[in-house]
């Protein structure tokens, strides 16, 4: 790597007329910490272009972040910032269902939040120890847990569920698998969900006479510290070369703030989507998309971003 001399950096700062009164002072070059850049012996422009931003729910402390693991191994430093928050409610009603597995043919997990709702209902109405010792975990592990995506499946597996459909990629594919495994006349499937639930799964189940019990147990809300977190990100990393949206709600809650901070699609910053539903939300909001990951997995997204950056000449 060619060193970037201090005098060159000063000339660039002068040419760009970056005064301390601007959003980024001379302590930063295009949002990159000048000191850290010089110590690392990197060009500020290269340092600026070194990060991938994922607008997704942040990983719980102590858990392996598979996206970070896969992207870092591929030489693409990645950071996750959540644009949305979640509020859980009526978990006692969900617990009444979870506590009687004999009344169900299985369970459907459409997102990591649905798995979290089961965990929370156990923690608030019983305990994880009782989940293990009472036989509940064993009984549920004998039933299929239909899960959209590897992240959701991983969360469910940690609770002891035997997941099916990990690689389905989306709800449209998962419901086809459910139809193959569950027949009309069987006990219902337990379906925890949020207030913004799409109708793909329930409509398909109804059309195929597959019984299900829906439990609406969380609502989606904006993350109150999103602008602050993104501002800190810009100071540390500069404008990312790739931004990925993971949900329509993420698009809705972050678009205005991203525009305010000048994180917009450009020749140096490309926007990507997880799945067709998020893609539609981005298009509806007038966002230029450089690629769509067909599956909600780190490997699929990595391939998508690599391909999009290569096609656009961003490296």
């Amino acid at each position: 790597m060619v060193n970037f001399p201090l005098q060159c950096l000063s000339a660039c700062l002068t040419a760009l007329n970056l005064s301390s009164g601007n959003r980024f002072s001379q302590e930063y070059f295009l949002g990159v910490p000048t000191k850290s850049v010089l110590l690392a012996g990197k060009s500020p422009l290269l340092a600026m272009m070194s990060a991938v931003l994922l607008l997704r729910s942040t990983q719980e402390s102590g858990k392996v972040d598979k996206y970070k693991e896969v992207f870092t191994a591929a030489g693409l430093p990645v950071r996750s910032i959540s644009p949305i928050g979640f509020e859980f409610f009526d978990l006692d009603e969900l617990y009444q269902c979870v506590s009687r597995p004999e009344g169900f043919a299985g369970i459907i997990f459409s997102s990591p939040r649905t798995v979290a709702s089961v965990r929370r209902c156990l923690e608030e109405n019983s305990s994880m120890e009782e989940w293990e010792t009472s036989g509940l975990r064993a009984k549920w592990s004998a039933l299929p847990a239909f899960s959209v995506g590897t992240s959701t499946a991983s969360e469910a597996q940690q609770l002891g569920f035997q997941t099916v459909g990990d690689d389905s990629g989306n709800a449209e594919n998962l419901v086809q698998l459910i139809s193959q495994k569950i027949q009309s006349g069987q006990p219902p499937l337990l379906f925890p969900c949020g207030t913004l639930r799409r109708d793909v799964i329930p409509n398909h189940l109804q059309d195929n006479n597959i019984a299900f019990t829906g439990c609406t147990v969380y609502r989606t809300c904006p993350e109150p510290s999103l602008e602050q977190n993104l501002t800190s990100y810009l100071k540390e990393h500069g404008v990312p070369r790739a931004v990925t949206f993971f949900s329509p709600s993420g698009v809705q809650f972050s678009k205005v703030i991203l525009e305010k901070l000048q994180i917009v699609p450009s020749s140096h910053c490309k926007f990507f989507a997880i799945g067709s539903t998020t893609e539609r939300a981005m298009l509806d909001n007038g966002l230029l998309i450089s690629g769509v990951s067909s599956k909600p997995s780190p490997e699929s997204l990595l391939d998508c971003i690599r391909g999009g950056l290569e096609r656009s000449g961003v490296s």
Side-chain angles (χ1 to χ4, degrees):
M1 182 70 68
V2 178
N3 288 331
F4 198 81
L6 179 60
Q7 59 268 30
C8 293
L9 177 58
S10 298
C12 289
L13 291 171
T14 301
L16 289 171
N17 193 27
L18 294 176
S19 67
S20 58
N22 290 338
R23 182 161 59 89
F24 297 117
S25 71
Q26 292 190 21
E27 295 178 358
Y28 296 91
F29 178 78
L30 296 179
V32 181
T34 303
K35 182 178 179 181
S36 64
V37 167
L38 293 175
L39 289 176
K42 294 181 179 179
S43 157
L45 183 58
L46 290 175
M48 177 190 71
M49 298 291 286
S50 65
V52 174
L53 175 61
L54 306 181
L55 295 174
R56 61 187 280 260
S57 298
T58 52
Q59 195 73 16
E60 291 184 23
S61 177
K63 292 187 177 181
V64 175
D65 188 330
K66 292 187 176 181
Y67 282 89
K68 183 176 182 179
E69 193 175 64
V70 169
F71 275 72
T72 301
L76 283 174
V78 67
R79 171 79 179 275
S80 295
I81 294 179
S82 179
I84 54 181
F86 303 96
E87 298 175 351
F88 293 90
F89 58 89
D90 290 345
L91 293 179
D92 53 338
E93 294 182 15
L94 177 59
Y95 179 72
Q96 294 302 316
C97 295
V98 172
S99 62
R100 50 183 189 87
E102 63 279 357
F104 297 93
I107 189 169
I108 301 172
F109 291 122
S110 58
S111 71
R113 267 74 58 197
T114 57
V115 183
S117 69
V118 171
R119 180 186 293 275
R120 289 202 177 201
C121 86
L122 291 168
E123 293 172 344
E124 293 184 10
N125 294 276
S126 179
S127 68
M128 296 310 299
E129 181 180 357
E130 184 177 345
W131 167 250
E132 298 279 353
T133 60
S134 67
L136 278 178
R137 171 173 173 158
K139 291 177 181 178
W140 276 108
S141 68
L143 301 172
F146 298 99
S147 304
V148 176
T150 55
S151 296
T152 301
S154 177
E155 296 287 331
Q157 289 162 10
Q158 290 180 32
L159 272 181
F161 290 95
Q162 297 296 315
T163 58
V164 179
D166 306 18
D167 296 325
S168 57
N170 55 50
E172 287 80 0
N173 292 335
L174 185 66
V175 291
Q176 301 300 324
L177 182 59
I178 293 175
S179 296
Q180 297 172 15
K181 301 287 186 180
I182 305 296
Q183 305 299 318
S184 176
Q186 287 187 247
L189 293 168
L190 180 57
F191 182 33
C193 56
T195 54
L196 298 181
R197 180 195 76 184
R198 295 171 60 212
D199 292 329
V200 172
I201 292 177
N203 284 351
H204 179 88
L205 297 178
Q206 291 172 352
D207 291 344
N208 288 271
N209 295 316
I210 297 175
F212 69 96
T213 298
C215 290
T216 304
V217 288
Y218 71 89
R219 63 176 60 90
T220 305
C221 54
E223 169 54 55
S225 60
L226 176 58
E227 183 171 351
Q228 177 184 343
N229 292 339
L230 285 173
T231 300
S232 298
Y233 173 90
L234 284 174
K235 289 183 177 181
E236 183 178 353
H237 299 285
V239 177
R241 59 173 167 175
V243 178
T244 299
F245 295 85
F246 277 63
S247 68
S249 298
V251 177
Q252 174 188 351
F253 296 145
S254 63
K255 179 178 181 289
V256 172
I257 295 176
L258 290 171
E259 290 176 344
K260 178 181 178 181
L261 297 177
Q262 299 180 11
I263 304 176
V264 294
S266 68
S267 59
H268 299 302
C269 178
K270 301 302 178 183
F271 279 18
F272 298 86
I274 292 283
S276 58
T277 305
T278 303
E279 176 190 17
R280 285 193 293 271
M282 292 175 68
L283 292 174
D284 289 343
N285 280 273
L287 298 177
L288 181 64
I289 304 172
S290 294
V292 181
S293 177
S294 59
K295 295 182 178 181
S297 71
E299 294 81 7
S300 178
L301 179 59
L302 176 61
D303 290 341
C304 175
I305 290 178
R306 275 177 165 170
L309 296 181
E310 288 174 2
R311 287 190 300 272
S312 62
V314 178
S315 58

